[in-house]
Structures are given as C-alpha cells and as structure tokens.
Amino acid sequence: MAAFAEGTPCWVDASLPDVEAGKRFYGELFGWTFTAPSAQYGGYTQAYSRGRNVAALAPKPDGRMPTVWGVYLYTADAYAAARRIRSAGGQMVMEPMPVGPYGTAAMAADPGGAVFGLWQPGTHHGFEASMVPYTYCWTEVYTRARDAVDTFYAQVFGYVAEDQEDAGIEYRTWSPPGSPPGPDTAVAGRTLITEAFPEFMPAHFLVYFAVPDVDESVATVRRLGGRVSADPFDTPYGRIAVVADNQGAAFALLSEPEAGPESGPGSGSESGSAAGPGAESEPGRPGA
C-alpha cells in the first residue's frame, strides 16, 4: 500500500452510543463485517469490506459527546503536527497519545471549530481500501471562518488550494504539498456554512462513502431507521445524498457519474477524491 501524503485523510470512525446497533446498521447498509470489540481500547471495533479494513465504530465514553463520523488526517509526526496546529491558531482537543503498537492519535479543532483527528501510523497504516463501493471516498469541512481556516490548513499541512468556480457555491479543494492543485490530486474540500443552514449548526467535517446506487442506499437507510437530510441529487461529480444512521451520526453517500473519470474530482482515483463540491450546500438542501 502506498504511503499517505501529509494531511491526507487516512481513517474514519464513528462515535456511537450503541456499537452493536451500529454494527447491525452498517453491516446491512454497506455489507461490513466487524471484529470483536477491543476491551483494551474501550470497545473499539474495526470494520471490514470484503476482508479489508475500512473504518471503525467506537462507543462514546461520555453521553454528552456528539454522535459523529470523524476523519483522521495522516501525519508523519503527530507531535510536530500538534505544534503546528497551535501555532496556526487551532486547538488540541486531545494531545498526541500512543495507541499500543498501532500508532499515535490526536484530536484537534481548526480556528472555525471543526474537529478532526491526526493519525501517525504504527502497525495500523489506515485504510486498506478506499475510493471503491462501500468505503470512504471524500471529506470536506463546513465552516464560517473561511479565511482563518484556509490559512490554517495551508500552514499545518501545506495544502495547495484550488477554488472551484463552476460549483455554483464557494468551494475550495485541497491537494497535498508538492502536487499540482486540482481535482486529480485533491484530498479534501472546504465549503461555507451559509444562511441556508441553521444558526446552531457547528463547523464540522462531512465524511462520504461510495455506493453503487445512492437511491437504493437511501432507501436502505430509511428502512433501517436512519434519517435523510438531503435527498439524492445529481452533481457533476456524481449523485449524492446526506443521511444519518439510526443513532444520529451524519454522513454522505456518493455514486460515481456514469461518464467516468473526467466527470469530477478523483472519480475513483486512489490519489484523490471521489466526490465534489458541497453536498450539504446545495440550495434547498439541509438547513434551507
């Protein structure tokens, strides 16, 4: 497996009140299988798609914590990344902490308040599969602090930015340092929380999963007791819906456009995104 570039999303997990219920939901929605919960690591449960490690479910240690999907960004040195985060105006929610032989984890918040993880691999390198059906394919941060956030991620991870003027919304993609900016290399996006959203919506990262048929997956979400906050809609980057599981953890679903790789960022590329601008930002969508 090729190494991740600095700042590239390399892992996702869901913090849930009930991991067993989560296993039933995602097992049926995505066909995932699961390891037994790790007693040593607080019940952390690894998820597999076709035998490859793709995500995890974790019990919330405190009921006051949000029920969310979280994304972890690769770093070669979590301690150095934490110093850069503080210097750039972010905050450390959890300082770097070794997780046995698996790696070093940390949690941080950018200047707009969006929380993300850091992962410095040990024996656990991150995704064993991504950008294919029933695995992670894209993430984007929703923020009200555009300028501070753009500066922050450029300083912390060296992201190279490109604004997507044809998106119909203000949207920026980020590519790893040393790569040319653009959809072929983009690893994450940034969009804005506008007046179309509820005032109480916090800054956050939205995690996308690839599926063969968004409409079919949305029907399954509803059948399993989940919630649909953005019905399926078409974009140049594919067909997208925004949903939440039956415990409230929100995520997006994406089906690639049938036209193939030229239809949008990444389009199944192992190096970049498989989604595109702003699923939650479409006028008339969530919060409108």
Side-chain angles (χ1 to χ4, degrees):
M1 178 182 295
F4 293 96
E6 188 80 11
T8 300
C10 66
W11 191 243
V12 291
D13 60 22
S15 297
L16 302 173
D18 186 339
V19 167
E20 288 302 313
K23 288 165 65 176
R24 292 190 293 271
F25 182 92
Y26 292 102
E28 187 156 355
L29 178 63
F30 293 145
W32 288 352
T33 57
F34 302 90
T35 60
S38 171
Q40 184 178 0
Y41 297 104
Y44 203 75
T45 301
Q46 304 283 343
Y48 290 79
S49 178
R50 298 182 178 181
R52 295 178 291 180
N53 201 191
V54 296
L57 309 180
K60 295 198 302 184
D62 186 331
R64 295 170 296 181
M65 296 177 66
T67 300
V68 295
W69 273 99
V71 62
Y72 292 78
L73 307 180
Y74 169 85
T75 182
D77 186 334
Y79 297 92
R83 290 192 292 271
R84 296 196 303 272
I85 285 166
R86 286 189 290 265
S87 295
Q91 297 181 342
M92 295 307 300
V93 177
M94 181 185 81
E95 293 291 338
M97 177 181 69
V99 186
Y102 303 107
T104 301
M107 299 295 295
D110 68 26
V115 174
F116 61 93
L118 298 173
W119 184 247
Q120 177 186 333
T123 60
H124 190 290
H125 297 285
F127 300 125
E128 291 182 346
S130 61
M131 313 298 174
V132 294
Y134 307 121
T135 71
Y136 167 90
C137 64
W138 182 247
T139 193
E140 58 204 10
V141 61
Y142 285 75
T143 187
R144 293 180 176 86
R146 176 190 58 196
D147 295 342
V149 162
D150 287 347
T151 300
F152 172 83
Y153 287 101
Q155 291 180 352
V156 173
F157 296 114
Y159 286 157
V160 181
E162 180 174 86
D163 292 321
Q164 303 295 312
E165 297 180 358
D166 62 344
I169 55 174
E170 183 172 332
Y171 194 87
R172 171 169 286 195
T173 58
W174 288 322
S175 299
S179 61
D184 291 337
T185 60
V187 297
R190 186 272 295 150
T191 191
L192 300 181
I193 301 175
T194 66
E195 294 179 355
F197 294 90
E199 292 183 7
F200 56 81
M201 176 179 281
H204 63 283
F205 277 84
L206 179 67
V207 171
Y208 286 67
F209 294 100
V211 293
D213 186 325
V214 160
D215 296 81
E216 182 178 311
S217 292
V218 165
T220 302
V221 167
R222 286 194 169 104
R223 178 171 57 80
L224 296 173
R227 175 175 54 85
V228 179
S229 55
D231 287 320
F233 60 99
D234 293 313
T235 76
Y237 310 98
R239 190 161 173 80
I240 294 172
V242 183
V243 300
D245 66 24
N246 57 352
Q247 300 183 67
F251 57 98
L253 300 167
L254 169 76
S255 290
E256 292 281 344
E258 294 182 0
E262 295 182 359
S263 297
S267 294
S269 166
E270 292 296 329
S271 64
S273 72
E280 290 189 335
S281 298
E282 175 132 324
R285 299 299 170 185

